[in-house]
Amino acid sequence: MDKLCKYGTHRVIEPKGVLPQPAWKIDNTPKIYKNEILIDVDTLNIDSASFTQIEEQSIKEGKEVSDIILETVSKRGKQHNPVTGSGGMLIGKVADIGEQLSGKIDLKKGDKIATLVSLSLTPLFVERIDSVRSETDQVDIEGKAILFESGIYAKLPDDIDDNLALAVLDVAGAPAQTQRLVKEGDTVIVIGAGGKSGLLCLYEAKKKVGQNGKVIAVEFSDEGIERVKEVGAYDEIIQGDATDPVELLEKVENVLDGEMADLTINCVNIPSTELSSILVTKDRGTIYFFSMATSFTQAALGAEGVGKDIDMIIGNGYAYNHSDIAINILREDQAIRNMFQRIYT
Amino acid sequence: MDKLCKYGTHRVIEPKGVLPQPAWKIDNTPKIYKNEILIDVDTLNIDSASFTQIEEQSIKEGKEVSDIILETVSKRGKQHNPVTGSGGMLIGKVADIGEQLSGKIDLKKGDKIATLVSLSLTPLFVERIDSVRSETDQVDIEGKAILFESGIYAKLPDDIDDNLALAVLDVAGAPAQTQRLVKEGDTVIVIGAGGKSGLLCLYEAKKKVGQNGKVIAVEFSDEGIERVKEVGAYDEIIQGDATDPVELLEKVENVLDGEMADLTINCVNIPSTELSSILVTKDRGTIYFFSMATSFTQAALGAEGVGKDIDMIIGNGYAYNHSDIAINILREDQAIRNMFQRIYT
Ligand SMILES: NC(=O)c1ccc[n+]([C@@H]2O[C@H](COP(=O)([O-])OP(=O)(O)OC[C@H]3O[C@@H](n4cnc5c(N)ncnc54)[C@H](OP(=O)(O)O)[C@@H]3O)[C@@H](O)[C@H]2O)c1
Ligand SMILES: NC(=O)c1ccc[n+]([C@@H]2O[C@H](COP(=O)([O-])OP(=O)(O)OC[C@H]3O[C@@H](n4cnc5c(N)ncnc54)[C@H](OP(=O)(O)O)[C@@H]3O)[C@@H](O)[C@H]2O)c1
C-alpha cells in the first residue's frame, strides 16, 4: 500500500499517481485507514447537471436511474458521472474515525454531517438504493463513504431538516461567491434564476446591489418563473432560453435599455449557455460560471470570438464559510425556506 | 438567407440558432456578404493544444497532419478541432471589404492582417496546403477566410517578421492578462514556462512583481528549461511534470520553504494539469488557466476536493490592447526576440 496521503491518493487504483478526483477508479473498500473518516450514508444529492444527464440516459437506454448509479459506483468506486464529470454530495452519520484524526477534529461517532467535497472524489460503497427522488435529485441509500483527511464537511444544524440542509449545502459555493462578487450599484443577471442555486444567488445579489443596483432573473420555464416570483428577490424577470444567445441578448437589451450586466451568474443545469452569458455581460464585466455544464473552450473562445474583454470565473464549489452563508439564508428568509421546505423535504 | 448578423450567425449551417463558434458546421463559401471581410490566407497558426492532438492522431491513424486539417475544414467549414474544441488564428491579406464596412474601418485591400478571433469560428476555405511546420504549429496554405463584423484583427507591424508576429499574436491574451493580474510583491508560478505563452508570461510577471516578488518557472523538458534560462526572466526554475500534482507540490514547497503562489499561470498544452495548479496556489490566491486543455469540471471539483478557496479564471483570448502588449515585448526584450525569431521564422 502507498503511504497514507491527506488527499487520498492511497485509494487511487487507476491511473496511478493522480488524485482521487481525476482518477478513473478508486478503492471503495468500506474500512478506514488511520487518516480517514467512515460515514454511514443516508442520502446522496446528485449534482443537477449529472442527474439531468442520468435521467436522459435512463430514458434513452430504458434503464432505471438507480441502475445507472449502481453501475457508475461499481465501475469507479465513486458516484463520478463519466459524461458530465460532476458528482454531488451526501449526508450521513460518522461511523468511525481513524486514529490519526481522532481527538484532533470536532467530530465524534454518531454526528450527522454533510460532506462538502464532491462525490466525484469520495469513495462510496452502496449496499442498496432505497429510493430515487427525481424532483430533488436526492437518492436514499444504504452504504458507506470515506472522507479523506483534507475533505471538508459540515455538521448538520439542529434547526433545519436534514434533506433541506443537504439540498442547500450542495450549492453552497454559489451564494458565497455571489456575496463576494457583487458590488453596490451593480447590474447583476442570474441565468437559471429559478433553480436551487439561482434563487440563493438572487437573494444574495439583491441584498448587495442596494438601491442603485439591479438584479435581473433569467428563467426558462413557467414553473421557474413562479419560483422566482415567490421568492421575490429581483428587479426584473426575463423568460428566455439561455441556449439562444442572440434572442436572449435582445430581451436583455429591451429590459436594460441597451445596457448590460456588470456581473452575470450562470446557474443552469444544461450545456451551451456560455455565449448567452458572454453577450449579456458588459465589457470589463465578470461572469461567474457555477454551472457544471460549462465548457472551458466554449467560454474562452466564445468571448474572444465576439471581442469581449470580460473576466470569466470557474465556479469553485468551496469558499470559506460557504456552508454557514447558505444555511443562514434559510434562517433569514422565510419565503426561500418555505419553498425549499416544500420542494426538498 | 438569414438577416446579416454582426456575429456571423447568417453563416451557421448546423445547428441553427447558435453562434459560429459553438456551431458544428458553418458556411465557408469564399464570397463575402455586405458586412464581412475577405482574407487571402497565407498561414494558419494552429492552437498548440489542437496541434498536439492532431499530431498524436496522425501517428495513431497513420494519416498526414495536412489531411486531418483538410478533413476538419471540409466537415465543419472551419479549422475547429473536434477533440480539443480549440482553433488558432491566421495571417493574410485583405482581399475584399463588404460595402457596409468599407470606409468605416481602418483597413484597405492589400493590408496584411492577423485575425485575433479564433479559427474555431472563422469560415475557412482551403484550396491547398503548401507546408506544415511542426516545430511552430504553423501551416502555409492557399485559401480564403471570412472575418465577421464583430471580429477583431491587428495590422501586421512593419518592424517584425510576419510569422513571428503570427506566433506571438496567437497567445497575446496571456501576457496581457498577466500584466493585469500580477501585483507587486506577488509570488507567481508559471506552469509550462518554456513554451511560447509561458515565456511571455514570465517576462511580464517578472516586470511586475518587483524586488519583493518572485517568479517561479515550472517546465517539463530539458529544452524548455534551456529556453527559460535563455530568456532569464525568473527567480527559480523547477523541472517537473505538471500532471503529477503531489510531486510538483513537493518541489514547489522545497523551493518556496513551504510557501505557495499568490498567482499561478497555466500555459501547458496537455490535459490533466488542473490539480497541480490548484495545489501550488495558496488559499485566496488566483489561477489563470490559459491552457486550452483545461477541464472546467476538473478545476471546479478539484479545488473543492482539496478544500482550496481560490479564484480560477478562464483564459479569455482577448483583452484590450493585447496585440500591442504582446508585440511590444518583442521590441522591449532582445533575448525573447532572438529566440522567437530563431524558432518561428
Ligand atoms: N460549481 C460547483 O461547485 C457546483 C456545485 C453544485 C452544483 N453545480 C451546478 O450548478 C448548476 C445549477 O445547479 P442547481 O442545483 O441550482 O440546478 P437546478 O435547481 O436544476 O436549476 C437549474 C435552473 O436552470 C434553468 N434552466 C434550464 N434550462 C434553461 C435554459 N435553456 N435557459 C434558462 N434557464 C434554464 C432551470 O429551469 P427549469 O425550471 O426550466 O428547469 C432551472 O431553474 C448545475 O449545472 C450544477 O451542476 C455546481
Ligand atoms: N486561452 C486562449 O485564448 C489561448 C490562445 C492560444 C493558445 N492557448 C493555449 O495555451 C496553451 C499554451 O500555448 P503555447 O502556444 O504557449 O504552447 P507551447 O509553446 O507548446 O508551450 C507549452 C509548454 O507546456 C510545457 N509542458 C508540456 N507538458 C508539460 C508537463 N507535463 N509539465 C510541465 N510543462 C509541460 C511544454 O514543455 P515541453 O518543452 O516539454 O514541450 C511547453 O513548454 C495551449 O494549451 C494553447 O492551447 C490558449
Side-chain angles (χ1 to χ4, degrees):
Chain A
M1 226 273 315
D2 298 339
K3 206 178 77 181
L4 292 182
C5 161
K6 69 173 173 172
Y7 301 120
T9 53
H10 53 276
R11 286 215 179 232
V12 170
I13 296 177
E14 193 191 325
K16 279 285 167 205
V18 306
L19 265 70
Q21 204 282 324
W24 173 253
K25 186 177 175 140
I26 59 179
D27 172 8
N28 64 352
T29 311
K31 204 179 147 311
I32 51 170
Y33 291 106
K34 290 180 188 172
N35 67 342
E36 297 177 336
I37 296 169
L38 187 70
I39 304 167
D40 240 329
V41 183
D42 294 319
T43 307
L44 309 176
N45 192 116
I46 308 286
D47 170 79
S48 178
S50 170
F51 200 85
T52 306
Q53 185 280 325
I54 294 172
E55 280 190 316
E56 281 167 8
Q57 187 184 338
S58 113
I59 293 166
K60 220 164 81 188
E61 302 182 356
K63 281 186 191 162
E64 296 294 322
V65 165
S66 54
D67 288 337
I68 297 175
I69 292 175
L70 286 173
E71 218 172 86
T72 299
V73 174
S74 82
K75 260 196 215 142
R76 309 194 67 174
K78 53 181 179 174
Q79 176 44 42
H80 187 177
N81 184 317
V83 180
T84 63
S86 58
M89 27 92 71
L90 61 82
I91 52 175
K93 274 175 282 316
V94 174
D96 203 1
I97 300 176
E99 61 181 72
Q100 276 179 26
L101 301 179
S102 185
K104 287 184 202 132
I105 53 174
D106 64 343
L107 287 183
K108 53 179 192 326
K109 279 191 203 174
D111 279 349
K112 278 200 150 187
I113 63 170
T115 59
L116 298 176
V117 289
S118 173
L119 288 179
S120 67
L121 62 89
T122 304
L124 180 67
F125 181 86
V126 181
E127 283 151 40
R128 195 175 66 226
I129 293 189
D130 291 327
S131 66
V132 174
R133 283 176 271 130
S134 293
E135 328 75 58
T136 62
D137 310 344
Q138 293 185 352
V139 181
D140 295 325
I141 69 160
E142 312 278 316
K144 298 269 189 292
I146 307 283
L147 192 64
F148 298 127
E149 188 176 346
S150 67
I152 42 175
Y153 56 85
K155 284 200 225 182
L156 289 179
D158 293 330
D159 59 334
I160 289 170
D161 188 280
D162 287 353
N163 284 334
L164 177 55
L166 173 63
V168 166
L169 290 172
D170 172 44
V171 294
Q177 296 288 356
T178 302
Q179 247 191 26
R180 271 187 194 158
L181 291 168
V182 176
K183 290 184 299 297
E184 209 265 303
D186 274 356
T187 296
V188 179
I189 295 180
V190 179
I191 304 185
K196 192 165 70 173
S197 56
L199 292 166
L200 299 173
C201 290
L202 278 185
Y203 176 80
E204 285 298 335
K206 187 70 187 138
K207 269 208 309 198
K208 291 226 41 194
V209 295
Q211 295 281 353
N212 301 315
K214 249 198 207 126
V215 177
I216 323 290
V218 174
E219 240 297 330
F220 184 61
S221 65
D222 295 341
E223 302 75 39
I225 298 281
E226 283 315 309
R227 291 193 295 270
V228 171
K229 286 188 180 156
E230 185 177 336
V231 165
Y234 63 89
D235 294 287
E236 306 278 354
I237 299 186
I238 294 174
Q239 186 158 17
D241 179 356
T243 64
D244 188 336
V246 181
E247 192 187 277
L248 187 67
L249 175 61
E250 256 177 43
K251 291 184 181 174
V252 168
E253 282 177 335
N254 277 345
V255 163
L256 291 178
D257 288 330
E259 226 210 308
M260 273 170 268
D262 298 293
L263 173 67
T264 299
I265 302 174
N266 184 317
C267 291
V268 304
N269 57 352
I270 50 151
S272 303
T273 64
E274 296 84 2
L275 264 165
S276 287
S277 311
I278 290 164
L279 289 191
V280 302
T281 306
K282 64 170 72 144
D283 257 306
R284 297 310 299 122
T286 300
I287 304 176
Y288 179 67
F289 283 108
F290 189 67
S291 165
M292 277 295 164
T294 306
S295 149
F296 184 92
T297 46
Q298 296 270 315
L301 297 174
E304 185 194 80
V306 297
K308 272 267 175 109
D309 185 1
I310 49 180
D311 296 334
M312 296 182 287
I313 302 178
I314 296 174
N316 183 347
Y318 176 66
Y320 285 138
N321 251 340
H322 67 334
S323 54
D324 289 345
I325 291 170
I327 291 289
N328 268 334
I329 298 179
L330 299 175
R331 297 188 178 119
E332 282 171 25
D333 191 78
Q334 204 56 44
I336 294 185
R337 181 149 181 178
N338 289 344
M339 177 189 304
F340 279 24
Q341 189 92 37
R342 206 171 63 224
I343 301 177
Y344 296 105
T345 62
Chain B
M1 226 271 315
D2 298 337
K3 210 177 73 181
L4 292 181
C5 162
K6 69 175 173 171
Y7 301 120
T9 52
H10 53 275
R11 286 212 180 236
V12 170
I13 295 177
E14 193 192 325
K16 279 285 169 207
V18 305
L19 265 72
Q21 204 282 324
W24 173 252
K25 186 177 176 140
I26 60 180
D27 172 9
N28 63 351
T29 312
K31 204 179 147 311
I32 50 169
Y33 291 106
K34 290 178 187 171
N35 67 342
E36 296 178 338
I37 297 169
L38 187 70
I39 304 166
D40 241 329
V41 182
D42 294 320
T43 306
L44 308 176
N45 192 115
I46 308 287
D47 170 79
S48 178
S50 170
F51 200 85
T52 307
Q53 185 280 325
I54 295 172
E55 280 190 316
E56 280 166 9
Q57 188 184 338
S58 114
I59 294 166
K60 220 164 80 189
E61 303 181 355
K63 283 185 189 165
E64 295 294 321
V65 165
S66 54
D67 289 337
I68 296 175
I69 292 175
L70 286 172
E71 218 172 87
T72 299
V73 175
S74 81
K75 259 195 217 146
R76 309 195 66 173
K78 52 181 180 174
Q79 176 44 40
H80 187 177
N81 184 317
V83 179
T84 64
S86 57
M89 27 92 71
L90 61 82
I91 52 175
K93 275 176 282 311
V94 174
D96 202 0
I97 299 177
E99 60 182 73
Q100 276 179 25
L101 300 180
S102 186
K104 288 185 201 128
I105 54 173
D106 65 342
L107 287 183
K108 53 180 194 321
K109 280 189 203 178
D111 279 350
K112 277 201 151 185
I113 62 170
T115 58
L116 298 177
V117 289
S118 173
L119 289 179
S120 67
L121 60 90
T122 304
L124 180 67
F125 182 86
V126 180
E127 283 151 41
R128 195 174 66 227
I129 292 187
D130 291 328
S131 66
V132 173
R133 283 177 270 128
S134 294
E135 329 74 59
T136 64
D137 310 344
Q138 292 185 353
V139 181
D140 295 325
I141 69 160
E142 311 279 316
K144 300 269 190 292
I146 307 283
L147 193 63
F148 298 126
E149 189 177 347
S150 66
I152 43 176
Y153 55 84
K155 284 201 228 184
L156 290 179
D158 293 331
D159 59 334
I160 288 170
D161 187 281
D162 288 353
N163 284 335
L164 177 55
L166 174 63
V168 167
L169 289 173
D170 172 44
V171 293
Q177 296 289 356
T178 302
Q179 248 192 24
R180 271 190 193 155
L181 290 169
V182 175
K183 289 185 300 297
E184 209 264 304
D186 274 356
T187 296
V188 179
I189 295 181
V190 180
I191 304 185
K196 192 165 68 174
S197 56
L199 291 166
L200 298 173
C201 291
L202 277 185
Y203 176 79
E204 286 297 336
K206 187 70 188 137
K207 267 208 310 199
K208 291 226 40 194
V209 295
Q211 295 281 353
N212 302 316
K214 250 198 206 127
V215 177
I216 323 290
V218 173
E219 240 297 329
F220 183 62
S221 65
D222 294 342
E223 301 77 36
I225 298 281
E226 282 315 309
R227 292 193 295 270
V228 170
K229 285 187 180 157
E230 186 176 335
V231 166
Y234 63 89
D235 295 285
E236 308 277 355
I237 300 185
I238 293 174
Q239 185 158 15
D241 180 355
T243 64
D244 188 336
V246 180
E247 191 187 279
L248 187 66
L249 175 62
E250 256 175 44
K251 290 185 179 172
V252 168
E253 282 177 335
N254 277 345
V255 163
L256 290 179
D257 288 330
E259 227 209 309
M260 274 171 266
D262 297 293
L263 173 68
T264 299
I265 302 174
N266 183 317
C267 291
V268 304
N269 58 352
I270 50 150
S272 303
T273 64
E274 297 83 2
L275 264 164
S276 288
S277 311
I278 290 164
L279 289 191
V280 302
T281 306
K282 63 171 73 143
D283 258 304
R284 298 309 301 123
T286 300
I287 304 176
Y288 179 67
F289 283 108
F290 188 68
S291 165
M292 278 295 165
T294 307
S295 150
F296 184 92
T297 45
Q298 297 270 315
L301 296 175
E304 186 195 79
V306 296
K308 272 268 176 110
D309 186 3
I310 48 180
D311 295 334
M312 296 182 288
I313 302 178
I314 297 174
N316 183 348
Y318 175 65
Y320 286 138
N321 252 338
H322 67 331
S323 54
D324 290 345
I325 292 169
I327 292 288
N328 268 334
I329 297 177
L330 299 175
R331 298 189 179 117
E332 283 171 25
D333 191 78
Q334 204 57 43
I336 293 186
R337 181 148 181 177
N338 289 344
M339 177 190 304
F340 279 24
Q341 190 93 38
R342 207 171 63 225
I343 301 178
Y344 297 105
T345 63

